Amino acid sequence: MEIKINREIFLKSLTHIQGVVEKKNTLPILANVLIEAFDNKIQISATDLDIVITEKVDAEIIKEGSTTTTSQVLYDLVRKLPAGSSIHLNLKNDKRLKLISGKSDFDLTCLPASEFPVLEDTMETEYLEIKTKHLLKLLNKTKFSISNDETRHYLNGVYLHKTEDENPKLVAVATDGHRLSKTQIDLEESKAFFPVILPKKTIFEIINIITDEPDTAIKILSVKSKIKFVIKDIVLISKVIDGKFPDYEKVIPNDSRKEVRANVDDFSSAVDRIKSLSLDKKGVIKIHIENNKIRFFINDSSSGEGIEEINADYEGEKIEIGFNSGYLMDVANCIEADNIILKPKDASSPIVIKDQKDLNSTYVIMPMRVL
């Protein structure tokens, strides 16, 4: 195998696969990237046995062939080469890949391509096609509510499913039992979509790939055990979490409640400042809502006490609730409108939070007891 490739093209592709490559493993081949040269393109592949990613990029093929080399080493070298440079890769034998760029000359250790896990892709049926910016919304507005509790593995991801009504929607939901995030997008076509729970690693890898491609179409295909994403010349196939996601609709209050509206920047700033006094990992703060004001209180025996106050649009009975301040910040960071809409009930009931610019998103946070 012998190829010449532009450094920027090569680096972008290597960046896409870095999150998949297994850093700690018992199989040395999983730390490697597979490079295959054919038909004036190279195909770059990586896998951790749960996720497989492949990408085809243009290159000058002098001699067809394939090999594998350590992904992290190759990525670091290419990243540190001068911008705009050309890279010459030449496979000397099964154990050495020569990389030359300008006055840089490296011999990289290799493992035979035959040792790389077989990349089977038999998933060919009807694809659901959406814009990458819409998938980004679904993932970014729910990922922070994913549970880290391994005993409830079915909560360790984002539940992605399609509604079957007259106006179909693709819905994303995540919960850790203390908070819940739900958002959805309208679908132009009603294509088949098997409901799946996306693992956290898959979510962050997809976000890494599509963040710089907001107006590109992405094709999605899901079956019982796997999900496949196709964007341009990139294909990512991932196992999904085996389990049943809980009936989340039962958790979202649907009773009539008064709304509290406040400027989201004022809200975030106040919460961020006052939680600085909490040495507790949960950062519990107490909120008082009354007479067009929201007051935030904290009393920490180790670091002191504090009060923050912001204006709000609210008239009604006084409400006092305790919350994990980090949960409030996570939601506030997702609000697109100028105002955040809070829908509290009482000290023991979950609060509903809405976004005036994105009514398709709903956030629910359980209260906490504050002495």
Side-chain angles (χ1 to χ4, degrees):
M1 182 190 81
E2 185 175 1
I3 64 173
K4 288 184 179 179
I5 188 169
N6 175 271
R7 179 252 185 195
E8 274 62 41
I9 293 175
F10 201 26
L11 178 60
K12 186 176 182 180
S13 183
L14 292 172
T15 301
H16 288 158
I17 69 166
Q18 284 308 301
V20 171
V21 176
E22 194 61 48
K23 306 296 190 297
K24 300 176 181 178
N25 58 74
T26 55
L27 294 173
I29 194 69
L30 295 183
N32 281 20
V33 56
L34 172 65
I35 304 172
E36 300 170 279
F38 55 90
D39 298 336
N40 289 320
K41 285 184 180 290
I42 62 168
Q43 179 167 286
I44 301 169
S45 307
T47 183
D48 63 358
L49 300 183
D50 288 328
I51 304 174
V52 176
I53 182 170
T54 65
E55 181 173 3
K56 291 180 181 177
V57 295
D58 292 327
E60 179 187 344
I61 309 300
I62 301 169
K63 182 181 178 182
E64 293 187 350
S66 60
T67 189
T68 80
T69 190
T70 309
S71 180
Q72 187 63 51
V73 171
L74 182 61
Y75 170 71
D76 282 343
L77 282 176
V78 174
R79 182 172 56 88
K80 293 171 183 177
L81 289 173
S85 57
S86 177
I87 296 171
H88 184 186
L89 294 174
N90 188 7
L91 183 63
K92 292 298 185 181
N93 53 55
D94 282 348
K95 296 183 178 180
R96 283 290 181 268
L97 176 67
K98 182 171 282 292
L99 185 155
I100 299 173
S101 181
K103 295 182 179 180
S104 301
D105 189 333
F106 300 95
D107 280 324
L108 308 181
T109 58
C110 299
L111 288 173
S114 58
E115 293 186 19
F116 201 80
V118 176
L119 307 174
E120 291 187 10
D121 179 8
T122 57
M123 297 175 67
E124 289 300 335
T125 183
E126 194 175 46
Y127 286 90
L128 183 69
E129 189 168 317
I130 61 175
K131 289 283 190 182
T132 50
K133 63 182 178 184
H134 294 150
L135 182 58
L136 270 176
K137 174 201 165 180
L138 291 173
L139 300 180
N140 283 331
K141 292 198 173 189
T142 53
K143 66 184 181 183
F144 57 84
S145 292
I146 294 173
S147 173
N148 294 314
D149 182 359
E150 295 297 333
T151 64
R152 295 191 292 173
H153 68 283
Y154 50 85
L155 298 182
N156 297 156
V158 168
Y159 179 50
L160 205 60
H161 67 101
K162 185 176 77 72
T163 63
E164 299 299 334
D165 49 24
E166 186 178 345
N167 300 306
K169 295 175 175 57
L170 189 60
V171 185
V173 187
T175 181
D176 60 7
H178 304 288
R179 53 180 169 173
L180 179 145
S181 304
K182 174 193 172 186
T183 189
Q184 59 191 27
I185 59 168
D186 295 320
L187 294 174
E188 296 178 1
E189 297 179 288
S190 183
K191 298 284 184 72
F193 187 87
F194 193 91
V196 293
I197 306 173
L198 288 180
K200 188 183 295 184
K201 184 174 179 178
T202 304
I203 291 165
F204 285 96
E205 183 59 26
I206 285 292
I207 290 173
N208 173 47
I209 292 170
I210 68 177
T211 295
D212 296 329
E213 307 277 358
D215 292 314
T216 304
I218 184 167
K219 294 192 285 187
I220 310 172
L221 172 60
S222 66
V223 295
K224 186 176 181 180
S225 60
K226 292 186 288 188
I227 189 166
K228 179 178 179 180
F229 299 91
V230 180
I231 172 173
K232 293 184 177 179
D233 290 318
I234 303 172
V235 177
L236 185 145
I237 301 174
S238 170
K239 292 180 181 178
V240 296
I241 294 173
D242 182 18
K244 182 175 175 58
F245 201 79
D247 184 358
Y248 64 86
E249 292 289 359
K250 291 181 179 178
V251 179
I252 303 174
N254 56 11
D255 51 348
S256 179
R257 300 182 175 200
K258 285 194 172 183
E259 293 186 354
V260 184
R261 294 172 182 259
N263 179 274
V264 68
D265 292 334
D266 293 344
F267 183 90
S268 296
S269 297
V271 173
D272 194 32
R273 284 191 297 269
I274 202 162
K275 78 183 183 72
S276 299
L277 274 73
S278 175
L279 300 181
D280 186 335
K281 187 171 68 173
K282 294 179 179 177
V284 182
I285 62 174
K286 184 183 286 187
I287 296 178
H288 291 192
I289 304 171
E290 63 175 334
N291 300 329
N292 292 324
K293 300 284 185 186
I294 300 178
R295 292 189 181 91
F296 305 88
F297 295 85
I298 194 166
N299 190 343
D300 191 290
S301 57
S302 300
S303 56
E305 58 186 55
I307 300 173
E308 286 277 353
E309 181 180 294
I310 64 172
N311 294 324
D313 183 7
Y314 173 74
E315 290 182 4
E317 296 181 0
K318 180 180 178 180
I319 302 174
E320 294 187 4
I321 323 178
F323 285 112
N324 180 315
S325 57
Y327 293 175
L328 293 174
M329 290 292 294
D330 285 339
V331 173
N333 289 336
C334 287
I335 301 298
E336 298 175 23
D338 292 335
N339 292 331
I340 186 171
I341 301 173
L342 309 173
K343 294 185 176 183
K345 184 178 181 182
D346 53 47
S348 59
S349 300
I351 190 171
V352 178
I353 304 178
K354 297 290 288 185
D355 182 350
Q356 197 168 12
K357 273 193 176 180
D358 180 18
L359 296 178
N360 279 327
S361 294
T362 301
Y363 309 95
V364 180
I365 303 177
M366 297 297 293
M368 300 188 72
R369 188 165 175 265
V370 184
L371 299 176

